[in-house]
Amino acid sequence: MPLLPMLVYGAEDREPALGYTLRIDGKEIRLEPGKEIQVDGEFKDPKVSLVPDKFRKFSAAGVSFNYPSHFGFAMDAEEEGVTIWTLDGTNVVIMLQAYDAVMNPKEFGEILKSNYGPATEVEAISHTFGGKKYSGVRVRAILAGASLTQDLIALPSPEGSRILLLQGLDEKDEASKKDAKTVLKFLDETLKLEN
């Protein structure tokens, strides 16, 4: 029986912490999990609420960006030469793939096409994040009767390769439109390459 890749779900040492805002009678106080703070003032029968952030900050392989806080987190480092981080939402999936060797989106798209079948379409695309244009390919396939769209974006890397895979950005899919818009907005506003 072949070994399956080991996925680490919700690993505390890897998943970005969720931040919170404590509201006491209209006063907002930022909280960090596990960090004690002093709240100044006197409160008599205060109205209190704890509000989780709408995003978490992903940071790995020299890439950082914010993503929706409700997305699941997994890391796969089982296959030698590649590490994959998966941020999984209801309708949209973000994957960062860091390769030791050179891998480009077109080559990866052709590998997917050979796996998905000859009717799979691979076309050149680009996304602009933070005013910078990133090139890649869009893979469109029909798997088990369902439409699948994956954008593979090359992120410059000082060594090896980094590919950002965005799944579920199909404009025709009503269910994923809101999530796709949110993810693209976060990437546009927060994507940074540290090296």
Side-chain angles (χ1 to χ4, degrees):
M1 174 183 244
L3 290 176
L4 297 174
M6 181 183 78
L7 294 179
V8 180
Y9 287 94
E12 295 300 322
D13 61 335
R14 300 196 199 280
E15 183 173 28
L18 179 61
Y20 295 88
T21 300
L22 176 65
R23 291 186 182 143
I24 303 176
D25 284 341
K27 181 179 180 179
E28 293 192 354
I29 302 160
R30 287 294 299 159
L31 297 177
E32 294 179 36
K35 186 175 179 184
E36 190 174 281
I37 64 162
Q38 177 70 41
V39 178
D40 296 326
E42 292 184 24
F43 303 96
K44 182 171 171 44
D45 301 325
K47 290 187 178 185
V48 178
S49 66
L50 185 62
V51 182
D53 287 345
K54 293 183 189 233
F55 66 89
R56 294 177 192 255
K57 183 174 182 178
F58 174 85
S59 184
V63 178
S64 66
F65 55 85
N66 292 347
Y67 68 96
S69 61
H70 67 277
F71 276 37
F73 175 91
M75 181 187 145
D76 177 355
E78 191 68 23
E79 187 177 332
E80 190 174 333
V82 62
T83 302
I84 301 171
W85 292 267
T86 303
L87 310 171
D88 193 359
T90 306
N91 301 299
V92 174
V93 177
I94 305 167
M95 295 175 79
L96 177 65
Q97 303 178 351
Y99 294 88
D100 291 344
V102 174
M103 172 68 76
N104 65 56
K106 184 173 173 138
E107 180 182 346
F108 188 42
E110 291 302 322
I111 292 169
L112 292 177
K113 181 175 182 172
S114 70
N115 290 335
Y116 295 161
T120 302
E121 299 172 5
V122 179
E123 62 182 328
I125 58 149
S126 66
H127 283 282
T128 301
F129 303 129
K132 294 181 183 175
K133 187 175 182 179
Y134 297 95
S135 298
V137 298
R138 175 168 285 170
V139 177
R140 291 182 192 270
I142 303 292
L143 299 175
S147 176
L148 174 71
T149 303
Q150 296 175 314
D151 289 4
L152 313 172
I153 311 296
L155 299 179
S157 180
E159 54 188 47
S161 305
R162 295 183 292 208
I163 294 179
L164 182 64
L165 187 151
L166 304 172
Q167 181 173 302
L169 300 186
D170 191 349
E171 308 84 29
K172 299 172 196 162
D173 183 357
E174 289 299 320
S176 67
K177 273 188 180 179
K178 183 179 176 189
D179 284 350
K181 186 176 180 180
T182 300
V183 165
L184 291 172
K185 184 176 189 303
F186 276 142
L187 288 170
D188 184 35
E189 294 174 354
T190 65
L191 179 71
K192 293 195 177 14
L193 304 181
E194 297 159 13
N195 50 26

